Amino acid sequence: MVSTLLSHGWKKFTRSAAFNKEVSASIFLGIMAIMMVGYTLALGFGLNYIITEGLNQPDSFTFLNMLLLYYFVMEFVMRYMIQNVPVLDIQPYLHLPLKRSRIMHFLLVKSLAHVMNITVLLLFTPFAVTVVARNFGASGAFSWLFTIWLMSLCLHYSVILFKKRLDDSIWGLLIFVLFFSGLAAADYYQWFRLSDVSAALFAAAADHSFVLLITAIVAGALYLFNYQFFLQGVYYDEQPGQAVSR
């Protein structure tokens, strides 16, 4: 089924009336993506040097951990601006003996092919190998790195839900503004320092695997929530009286 859906998507792309424009845009975006990958990887390898030599921080691991939640706040904003909601023209498949559940899983897994989901690994893998592994061993580096990656995937599925359910409403804008205003106010009035929470959280991720486990559970729950939401939307879109195959 997966190969069929991919084949149909490719045929739709190549047979489009605006095929030439789409090819040119894809080539341009591909070049930009390659450049972004190169710059991100270079930054990842230089991250420890930048922190210790450029910023004069003796403990690059703790300093980076203090900034990671701020990084995720920035990533949420970037995802909100550039990440699209996964879509699939479902109508041509409704009369075929295809399980709607499998189509939805395909849609959500396919959405993971996004530059933001790769960027976090390119940026932090060199640091995990050169710094975290030296202090916490290979298992600690693995736990720290994949906790960060899974948090990025949590943002991936959170943004999909946010844009799908709230983006066109005033409530979406209010939640967006209030959330980031609350974080700014907390730091300004010193209710709590986000950097302290961040440092403790990611230090624990390198020391204890339960942080990785909890993050994986949250990411899985967000995936399933997206799955149920999209699957429910498919059944709403179906014609009355049409047979449904789960």
Side-chain angles (χ1 to χ4, degrees):
M1 188 202 74
V2 172
S3 60
T4 301
L5 292 174
L6 290 174
S7 174
H8 289 176
W10 174 252
K11 289 176 180 177
K12 182 179 179 180
F13 172 70
T14 56
R15 295 172 183 175
S16 170
F19 174 69
N20 291 331
K21 287 184 178 180
E22 291 180 1
V23 168
S24 301
S26 297
I27 292 174
F28 174 76
L29 291 174
I31 294 173
M32 294 297 293
I34 292 172
M35 291 176 60
M36 183 177 177
V37 166
Y39 287 132
T40 304
L41 200 55
L43 178 60
F45 278 106
L47 201 54
N48 184 50
Y49 179 84
I50 292 170
I51 294 172
T52 55
E53 301 297 329
L55 300 177
N56 297 317
Q57 296 293 328
D59 188 351
S60 59
F61 176 71
T62 300
F63 183 78
L64 181 60
N65 284 344
M66 291 172 64
L67 299 179
L68 281 175
L69 285 183
Y70 292 103
Y71 167 84
F72 285 121
V73 170
M74 183 180 66
E75 182 179 325
F76 182 90
V77 175
M78 291 180 63
R79 284 183 180 275
Y80 179 78
M81 292 188 294
I82 69 174
Q83 181 176 316
N84 296 322
V85 175
V87 293
L88 179 67
D89 186 6
I90 196 71
Q91 292 298 329
Y93 302 102
L94 293 179
H95 68 285
L96 299 177
L98 295 176
K99 291 183 178 180
R100 311 297 187 263
S101 57
R102 295 185 65 183
I103 295 176
M104 292 304 102
H105 283 305
F106 168 80
L107 190 65
L108 291 173
V109 172
K110 182 172 175 283
S111 74
L112 291 174
H114 192 279
V115 65
M116 294 298 294
N117 297 328
I118 302 171
T119 299
V120 67
L121 289 176
L122 294 174
L123 184 58
F124 295 115
T125 296
F127 188 87
V129 172
T130 58
V131 177
V132 184
R134 185 173 66 238
N135 297 324
F136 296 92
S139 60
F142 176 88
S143 177
W144 181 83
L145 178 62
F146 275 85
T147 296
I148 293 174
W149 183 61
L150 286 172
M151 284 189 176
S152 184
L153 295 190
C154 288
L155 290 184
H156 174 83
Y157 287 117
S158 297
V159 167
I160 290 175
L161 281 173
F162 184 86
K163 298 185 79 169
K164 188 71 175 175
R165 301 194 66 173
L166 298 172
D167 197 30
D168 294 330
S169 71
I170 188 63
W171 289 109
L173 179 61
L174 285 175
I175 291 173
F176 189 79
V177 171
L178 288 174
F179 175 75
F180 291 109
S181 298
L183 290 178
D187 260 352
Y188 182 79
Y189 291 107
Q190 297 185 352
W191 296 333
F192 69 88
R193 293 187 61 189
L194 193 62
S195 57
D196 292 340
V197 176
S198 182
L201 175 63
F202 291 102
D207 244 343
H208 308 286
S209 58
F210 76 86
V211 179
L212 175 62
L213 178 61
I214 292 172
T215 311
I217 292 172
V218 173
L222 285 168
Y223 176 91
L224 291 175
F225 195 61
N226 272 271
Y227 165 77
Q228 292 294 337
F229 180 77
F230 276 86
L231 189 63
Q232 186 179 38
V234 168
Y235 289 115
Y236 282 151
D237 290 341
E238 290 192 84
Q239 296 297 323
Q242 184 164 10
V244 172
S245 171
R246 286 183 178 270

